Amino acid sequence: MLTSRTQLPLATASVGPVSWRESTIKEIKFSQAVVERSDKKGLDFGRTTDPLPSLRDNCVQQSNTVILSYVRETRAVLVKLRESFLDTNEEVKSLIRGKEALEKKLEHIRKDIALNKISTEVRSTRPSRERPRDGADGLLEKELQHLYHLKKSLENKLRVVQKQLQVLDVCRKRLNAVLQERNRVLDLLCHALSSVTNSNRISGRNSRNSGRTSRQDKIMTFGSNGFGYTQQIDANIQDLNEGEKSPTNGGELTENPVLDPLGPFTPEVAASMAQAREARQRSVSLRKEIREAIENTHKLQSTAHQAVNSGLNKKVAETVSLQQHLQVALGENRHAIHRAKRWYDATEKAQGYTVGPELQSDLETRERLTRPLVRVYQRHSGTNLPEAQDIIKGAGALDQSLMTTSRNIALMQMARNRLQEDIYHKKAGASVDSAVVRMRRRLANHRWVMGSV
């Protein structure tokens, strides 16, 4: 701009020509206009718009801030991925334990089926009188059907568990792949970071803001002193690692992070975490179903086992009771046989007395039909005596009684033999059923190997 020092003396007389003087004044005005334009539009505008000499340091600082923010967010995503991976791994372990428990219970069911078949085979060795179908056979058949049903149900549940384990393994591999991919930008960070809780997010934000201020101060100091880009990176890494000492310093992940294919929280991360979460929830419900199935199976298995044992014990008790009644009947039969034999001997003697001696010469005078008293009585007509006919009829009746008594003795002896045979069969049947009950009780703990019994 034109000052008082540069004012031209317009009113003074001039020796030189006017054109010469005007051209000089024109050059001076042009120079003043150029100076004024440079001051107003050049310098003043440059002071407000031109970059400062610290542009390089500021650019480095801004890039480092973006990088550190991205790395911190990636670290938070990585923490959540690690938690999801560990939760999935623990769920795999828990489901494997449930699978082992299911396989153990399935083995117990198979052993009970084998025990049921062995019990049926052992009971088939009973004597012929004890082989007809009874209630214990029905209980064994029902137990076998029930065990087959439980076996089929547990096998279906085991197949579902195996498929779920495969799904969890796929989710775990996918999480591991995403972890490895996200971990590629965290080589310069300390990975010792605990889980972020909701209670310390405010203190984390405050510490994060104070840390950001101190980091900017350090960068500005390094940039002004001219230590260079390497010192700035070292300072940022040192400050970031110092921030790692606080578990809430930059380790937060918002409740609803924004999906960004080029950001820390990519769609692949969200999909892998959602898939793992869904698989874990399904695994938790499946483990609950496994526990309930095992408990119900154990109750039903124990109930069926006790029902069969109770039925066998009742059959043994009934057999023993019948055996005792048979022994009483055998004693009565023996007593009756003795009575009949005594009666047979007495009747045989009576028959001998009635028939008399075998030789006529052995008859005494009082026993003869021609004794003097009878001859004197028969001197009158119509005085026949029925003595001979009565003796003949009596001898015949006694002979018939002997035959009847002998036949009764033979029948009672046959009944005695049948009673003895029945007692033997009852004793053998009770022994077999008792052995089956003892075997079932001994093998009820399932601590035996298939095929060893």
Side-chain angles (χ1 to χ4, degrees):
M1 51 187 298
L2 189 61
T3 61
S4 59
R5 293 178 297 177
T6 61
Q7 291 180 357
L8 297 175
L10 298 177
T12 60
S14 176
V15 179
V18 177
S19 60
W20 169 76
R21 183 172 176 273
E22 288 179 354
S23 62
T24 302
I25 294 173
K26 186 178 179 181
E27 293 295 335
I28 292 173
K29 289 182 178 181
F30 177 75
S31 176
Q32 290 176 351
V34 170
V35 170
E36 183 179 359
R37 182 177 180 179
S38 175
D39 290 338
K40 289 184 178 181
K41 296 183 178 180
L43 296 180
D44 294 341
F45 184 77
R47 289 189 184 97
T48 59
T49 60
D50 290 349
L52 296 175
S54 60
L55 174 63
R56 184 180 183 86
D57 293 336
N58 290 333
C59 290
V60 170
Q61 179 183 357
Q62 291 176 1
S63 298
N64 291 341
T65 302
V66 172
I67 292 172
L68 294 177
S69 177
Y70 180 84
V71 169
R72 285 178 181 274
E73 294 177 1
T74 305
R75 178 190 58 185
V77 172
L78 190 65
V79 168
K80 295 301 180 182
L81 284 172
R82 282 202 188 111
E83 290 179 354
S84 181
F85 179 80
L86 292 176
D87 291 342
T88 305
N89 198 34
E90 291 298 325
E91 189 61 35
V92 169
K93 294 179 182 178
S94 300
L95 194 57
I96 288 176
R97 288 194 292 269
K99 175 176 172 289
E100 292 174 352
L102 199 61
E103 290 175 346
K104 183 177 180 181
K105 180 54 67 175
L106 192 58
E107 181 188 3
H108 291 176
I109 294 294
R110 294 193 182 100
K111 288 184 178 180
D112 283 344
I113 291 174
L115 182 59
N116 181 280
K117 293 181 179 180
I118 293 172
S119 301
T120 304
E121 292 176 359
V122 172
R123 293 194 82 235
S124 64
T125 60
R126 293 173 297 167
S128 58
R129 287 177 178 268
E130 302 299 319
R131 289 181 186 176
R133 183 180 177 82
D134 54 8
D137 293 328
L139 289 174
L140 285 171
E141 290 182 358
K142 290 181 180 179
E143 183 193 29
L144 185 61
Q145 295 175 359
H146 194 62
L147 290 174
Y148 274 127
H149 177 71
L150 292 176
K151 178 175 175 290
K152 183 178 180 181
S153 176
L154 291 182
E155 286 177 348
N156 293 333
K157 189 69 67 177
L158 184 60
R159 282 193 289 269
V160 174
V161 171
Q162 290 174 346
K163 291 181 180 179
Q164 185 63 28
L165 281 173
Q166 294 176 357
V167 172
L168 287 173
D169 185 62
V170 171
C171 294
R172 184 171 57 178
K173 290 180 179 178
R174 186 177 182 182
L175 285 173
N176 188 30
V178 175
L179 270 170
Q180 297 298 328
E181 190 273 331
R182 291 287 92 184
N183 195 32
R184 294 172 60 186
V185 298
L186 299 179
D187 293 340
L188 301 178
L189 286 181
C190 176
H191 294 276
L193 180 65
S194 61
S195 300
V196 180
T197 58
N198 294 326
S199 60
N200 51 17
R201 286 185 178 179
I202 298 177
S203 60
R205 293 193 185 96
N206 295 332
S207 62
R208 188 164 59 253
N209 292 331
S210 62
R212 186 177 298 124
T213 303
S214 62
R215 184 172 61 254
Q216 292 176 359
D217 294 339
K218 290 181 181 179
I219 293 175
M220 293 300 294
T221 303
F222 291 148
S224 61
N225 291 334
F227 287 117
Y229 184 73
T230 306
Q231 288 81 357
Q232 294 178 15
I233 291 294
D234 295 338
N236 289 326
I237 294 173
Q238 182 180 1
D239 180 70
L240 192 60
N241 289 330
E242 289 177 357
E244 293 291 338
K245 296 179 180 178
S246 175
T248 59
N249 190 9
E252 298 178 5
L253 184 63
T254 58
E255 296 295 334
N256 296 318
V258 180
L259 290 176
D260 187 3
L262 301 178
F265 194 71
T266 60
E268 177 64 18
V269 173
S272 62
M273 292 179 65
Q275 183 184 12
R277 189 184 307 111
E278 183 181 357
R280 289 197 302 270
Q281 292 175 355
R282 172 58 183 159
S283 177
V284 170
S285 62
L286 187 59
R287 285 194 291 113
K288 183 178 179 181
E289 293 176 3
I290 290 173
R291 288 194 299 269
E292 293 176 354
I294 290 176
E295 291 177 359
N296 294 333
T297 301
H298 181 70
K299 291 179 181 178
L300 296 175
Q301 184 181 2
S302 300
T303 302
H305 189 82
Q306 294 296 331
V308 174
N309 288 351
S310 177
L312 289 173
N313 286 327
K314 187 175 181 181
K315 178 64 184 302
V316 171
E318 292 176 357
T319 304
V320 171
S321 178
L322 291 177
Q323 181 183 351
Q324 293 174 352
H325 287 292
L326 286 172
Q327 289 176 348
V328 172
L330 181 62
E332 293 177 353
N333 180 276
R334 187 183 300 110
H335 191 195
I337 289 175
H338 291 166
R339 289 198 308 268
K341 285 184 177 181
R342 288 196 299 269
W343 176 255
Y344 183 86
D345 294 340
T347 304
E348 191 176 16
K349 280 189 177 184
Q351 185 187 24
Y353 291 149
T354 302
V355 173
E358 296 179 359
L359 295 177
Q360 185 69 21
S361 60
D362 293 333
L363 287 175
E364 296 180 358
T365 302
R366 61 182 184 84
E367 296 176 343
R368 294 176 183 273
L369 295 177
T370 59
R371 56 185 179 273
L373 184 63
V374 174
R375 288 199 304 268
V376 172
Y377 174 71
Q378 289 181 348
R379 289 175 181 174
H380 290 174
S381 59
T383 57
N384 293 327
L385 294 173
E387 181 178 357
Q389 291 81 2
D390 292 341
I391 290 174
I392 293 173
K393 290 180 179 179
L398 290 174
D399 187 61
Q400 185 67 28
S401 177
L402 286 174
M403 292 176 62
T404 303
T405 304
S406 176
R407 187 168 55 253
N408 291 336
I409 290 174
L411 290 175
M412 285 188 291
Q413 288 179 347
M414 183 181 64
R416 181 185 64 183
N417 294 333
R418 296 180 63 178
L419 287 174
Q420 289 177 346
E421 184 180 3
D422 200 358
I423 289 173
Y424 174 78
H425 289 181
K426 288 290 187 296
K427 185 177 180 180
S431 177
V432 170
D433 288 339
S434 299
V436 171
V437 173
R438 288 193 300 270
M439 178 187 64
R440 291 175 63 86
R441 288 178 177 174
R442 186 179 70 253
L443 302 179
N445 56 1
H446 304 104
R447 296 179 180 177
W448 47 280
V449 182
M450 295 282 290
S452 62
V453 180

